[in-house]
Amino acid sequence: MKTYPGISASPGLVVGQVSRLEWERNTFSHTPLNPEKEQTLLEGAIRTAQAELQVMQDGSAESEQAIFMFQSMLLEDEGFMSEVRSYITAGIGAAAAMERVGQRYADQMSAMVDNPYMQLRGVDILDVTQRVINILGDRPRTRLALDHPVILATEVLMPSDFFSIPSGMVLGVITSEGSTQSHAAIIARAMKIPAVVQVGRAFLDDCDGRMVVLDADNGVCILDPDSASRQQMVTRMWERQQENAELARYQTLPNRTWDGASFELLANCFGPEDIESSIQAGAAGVGLLRSSYLMLPDRVPSEQEQYFFYTSCLSVAKGRPITVRTFDLGSDRTLSNAYQGAQSAHLGLRGIRSSLLRPREFEAQICALLRAGARGPLKVMFPMVTDIEDWDAAMKIVEHCRQSLRERGVAFDENMSFGITLAVPAACLTADEFIRHGCQFFTIGTNDLTQYTHAAGREVTSAARYYQPASRAMRKLIKMVVDAAHEGGIPVTICGLAVGDPVNIVEYLRMGLRSFSVSPQNLWEAKKALVEAYAEQNERLPVPAEAEGPAAPPMPEADGPDTPPAP
Ligand code: PEP
Ligand code: MG
């Protein structure tokens, strides 16, 4: 008996025989091949691959569909496929060309050690390129034919491996490498297949055909367990079943207040991982995608990398709308502090002010967003817009990007909606002007609006008493924005940490807001608060009279306490 520690990627406990899954090396002819013929073969193989991916997508659970959608989209990607075609033109066979480009893209992404999201997409690229190579070589797409249930052991598992093996045949998964955030791990969790990753090479060399206890609750594998540990596992498996049976179920109620007003509940997200969990928790979409978190500490991602990111976000959102906020960076909120999640209280060149000073980078982002918009419902908003000059300058760049995409002949969303994040009081006070200049939606950012309205840094503990997201001043500003939006006939959403507070969200509801974007962990509480609230009760009294108290008092007793400052 020997214990191999790893990391749990999907909880569960199982005992079974191990089957080692091996990678087969591709071999290609070195003779130059007819480019036209190879090109035609490639087109056919791509069609077949996409049809196969569609079948897997249709047959998979919601959380997995996006993975196959992403793989299918790669086969239509302009940059990727034009690189493959240029190799073919140079006389390299379609399969070899696919492998070269796929490997290069995958290596590039795997090298992004500071960006786990990009690293994980590398495995998908290898998976889908191997599928096309197998089709071109008329080889089976499966890596293993199983006739009895086993625990699979391999270096790294591909998402499609799960689908090439009859269901019920995989009891568990053990990988020597791999990541808990990989797509294969996501699928394992969705399919409730216990999985442990990173057990190390020694396990693989040793395991084929032997018995293993896969204790994925604790992230360990016990090879050749003795009878005492086997018995212990069986007892724990039984106890676990009992616990699962007792798990509470969440009610799904329509998004309507007690007095019948409909509302929209969205999530504030960072990328595909939390978009997916937010959608599962009931979010109708993403009200704020903080694109800055796609950043690497030392460089801005290229148009192509961003395009992958946004399309991946769209595919996990499965048709639900996503509002992306363009990079919120600046001299006082640098690439690396945005990456680490550090906030800024400085009054410098942040958000759109900084983007306008770096037009090449801004254009790359806008082009990536416009292109991704052709793949799903994407809206774009600019952060830290202060006056109409900011808006006009940003939209001039948007128009320039549209024109350049037309010239490049690339598909993009001609009708994408553009809006602003209202975080600067000056913009709230002149909200109607933006509508007159073509702004199509507003999103109120309570985190920054609070700090700029109250001149209190959101992370400055000593000024916490001044950081009041639902103060009278805030409510006046919010009301102005809501009124301007209603008059101008454009949608308005409110986002930020304060919105996740049940007391504040009801306050905002009564001010006429019907669209809320909250942190994923607050979705259920926010929904409960809204479902139990009256929307109309205080609608005509959203802003208490000025005489009611000092400049920044706590909220009136009946409304409950103010939201604590953002962490
Ligand atoms: C906000 O300012 O309200 C907001 C949600 O943005 P961030 O927290 O990313 O500054
Ligand atoms: Mg903000």
Side-chain angles (χ1 to χ4, degrees):
M1 178 169 109
K2 186 158 181 207
T3 301
Y4 291 85
I7 298 173
S8 172
S10 172
L13 199 58
V14 72
V15 187
Q17 193 187 22
V18 183
S19 185
R20 168 85 203 271
L21 193 55
E22 303 260 20
W23 277 101
E24 233 184 84
R25 284 213 143 275
N26 293 313
T27 47
F28 302 111
S29 150
H30 291 293
T31 333
L33 294 165
N34 177 317
E36 268 171 35
K37 194 171 154 227
E38 290 301 303
Q39 192 57 51
T40 313
L41 287 172
L42 178 69
E43 305 301 340
I46 285 173
R47 276 196 299 278
T48 309
Q50 287 188 312
E52 289 178 357
L53 289 165
Q54 187 64 52
V55 171
M56 292 201 282
Q57 194 183 316
D58 293 343
S60 53
E62 272 207 12
S63 55
E64 299 136 30
Q65 290 172 355
I67 297 167
F68 300 110
M69 214 189 290
F70 171 83
Q71 294 196 358
S72 184
M73 271 165 28
L74 184 82
L75 299 177
E76 287 170 21
D77 180 70
E78 187 203 13
F80 185 92
M81 292 315 297
S82 69
E83 225 176 288
V84 174
R85 288 189 190 103
S86 62
Y87 276 121
I88 295 178
T89 312
I92 291 170
M98 266 316 270
E99 194 191 48
R100 273 195 203 189
V101 181
Q103 192 65 57
R104 199 182 66 68
Y105 267 63
D107 287 347
Q108 214 175 26
M109 293 202 174
S110 308
M112 296 182 183
V113 286
D114 290 320
N115 191 331
Y117 170 78
M118 287 295 183
Q119 276 196 310
L120 296 174
R121 299 302 82 85
V123 180
D124 282 303
I125 292 174
L126 288 181
D127 196 18
V128 70
T129 47
Q130 189 58 46
R131 173 171 300 279
V132 176
I133 293 165
N134 287 344
I135 294 168
L136 286 163
D138 206 16
R139 285 206 303 261
R141 259 64 98 203
T142 54
R143 284 208 274 159
L144 192 71
L146 294 175
D147 54 8
H148 66 284
V150 293
I151 294 176
L152 291 181
T154 184
E155 281 93 357
V156 178
L157 203 71
M158 298 290 170
S160 58
D161 285 329
F162 281 107
F163 292 86
S164 57
I165 295 164
S167 68
M169 288 296 184
V170 186
L171 296 174
V173 171
I174 302 171
T175 62
S176 58
E177 297 160 33
S179 146
T180 56
Q181 294 306 312
S182 72
H183 279 161
I186 293 170
I187 294 179
R189 287 195 284 274
M191 294 173 87
K192 306 212 176 339
I193 295 175
V196 169
V197 297
Q198 298 177 26
V199 289
R201 185 79 220 174
F203 177 86
L204 279 193
D205 294 341
D206 223 16
C207 67
D208 200 27
R210 293 164 66 178
M211 284 299 281
V212 73
V213 165
L214 170 55
D215 178 359
D217 289 340
N218 296 307
V220 290
C221 304
I222 307 167
L223 205 56
D224 300 330
D226 58 20
S227 61
S229 17
R230 270 200 294 230
Q231 186 52 49
Q232 208 186 358
M233 290 305 139
V234 172
T235 311
R236 271 185 50 206
M237 279 157 79
W238 183 82
E239 284 169 358
R240 209 185 148 79
Q241 270 174 1
Q242 301 295 106
E243 280 165 22
N244 284 346
E246 281 165 31
L247 271 182
R249 294 271 170 266
Y250 285 89
Q251 275 190 315
T252 44
L253 291 172
N255 281 355
R256 265 200 298 279
T257 61
W258 197 248
D259 52 348
S262 300
F263 61 85
E264 176 183 53
L265 198 52
L266 306 161
N268 304 329
C269 295
F270 297 99
E273 285 72 20
D274 62 345
I275 293 178
E276 184 160 33
S277 54
S278 302
I279 300 290
Q280 277 164 8
V286 178
L288 163 69
L289 181 72
R290 294 172 162 107
S291 65
S292 313
Y293 288 81
L294 146 80
M295 287 297 181
L296 304 168
D298 54 354
R299 73 178 178 88
V300 176
S302 67
E303 177 187 318
Q304 193 60 18
E305 285 164 349
Q306 291 189 52
Y307 172 71
F308 276 142
F309 177 77
Y310 303 130
T311 50
S312 304
C313 291
L314 279 169
S315 51
V316 288
K318 292 178 204 76
R320 292 167 184 91
I322 297 182
T323 301
V324 182
R325 182 180 68 191
T326 57
F327 296 142
D328 191 4
L329 305 167
S331 54
D332 54 358
R333 201 190 195 195
T334 62
L335 272 182
S336 56
N337 71 26
Y339 179 74
Q340 286 157 16
Q343 301 297 339
S344 166
H346 298 180
L347 301 171
L349 297 178
R350 226 186 96 178
I352 194 68
R353 305 173 181 186
S354 156
S355 293
L356 291 173
L357 288 175
R358 308 172 192 196
R360 295 290 85 79
E361 285 173 12
F362 190 44
E363 280 166 26
Q365 181 169 38
I366 297 294
C367 285
L369 287 163
L370 285 167
R371 287 173 55 199
R375 297 285 186 175
L378 208 66
K379 299 200 289 183
V380 174
M381 59 186 176
F382 308 125
M384 291 287 288
V385 167
T386 309
D387 53 28
I388 205 67
E389 284 74 25
D390 282 345
W391 167 261
D392 288 344
M395 288 311 288
K396 206 167 154 195
I397 292 187
V398 169
E399 196 39 54
H400 171 78
C401 292
R402 286 187 182 125
Q403 190 50 36
S404 92
L405 290 173
R406 279 182 210 118
E407 283 161 17
R408 280 164 59 188
V410 181
F412 71 98
D413 181 6
E414 286 271 4
N415 302 312
M416 178 175 278
S417 286
F418 283 86
I420 57 172
T421 316
L422 288 133
V424 180
C428 299
L429 293 162
T430 54
D432 53 334
E433 274 186 49
F434 296 97
I435 304 177
R436 283 201 297 278
H437 281 237
C439 179
Q440 288 164 291
F441 66 93
F442 288 155
T443 298
I444 302 165
T446 53
N447 297 344
D448 280 320
L449 187 59
T450 306
Q451 72 168 356
Y452 294 132
T453 301
H454 290 261
R458 54 204 275 190
E459 288 172 306
V460 181
T461 328
S462 57
R465 112 112 183 87
Y466 294 99
Y467 191 93
Q468 304 285 350
S471 66
R472 287 203 317 278
M474 280 293 284
R475 281 184 279 168
K476 276 191 173 182
L477 285 170
I478 293 169
K479 188 76 174 78
M480 287 179 102
V481 175
V482 172
D483 288 348
H486 288 173
E487 267 164 45
I490 66 165
V492 53
T493 296
I494 189 160
C495 74
L497 293 168
V499 188
D501 178 281
V503 174
N504 291 340
I505 201 167
V506 172
E507 189 71 29
Y508 299 143
L509 171 84
R510 290 178 182 161
M511 293 168 69
L513 281 150
R514 295 292 180 269
S515 174
F516 308 90
S517 191
V518 303
S519 306
Q521 69 273 18
N522 296 136
L523 279 164
W524 281 339
E525 228 187 324
K527 168 122 182 207
K528 181 171 180 283
L530 291 171
V531 163
E532 290 173 352
Y534 285 91
E536 302 298 331
Q537 191 175 285
N538 288 344
E539 203 170 46
R540 264 175 271 135
L541 303 167
V543 182
E546 238 141 28
E548 269 184 19
M555 301 266 291
E557 202 71 82
D559 295 338
D562 271 13
T563 304

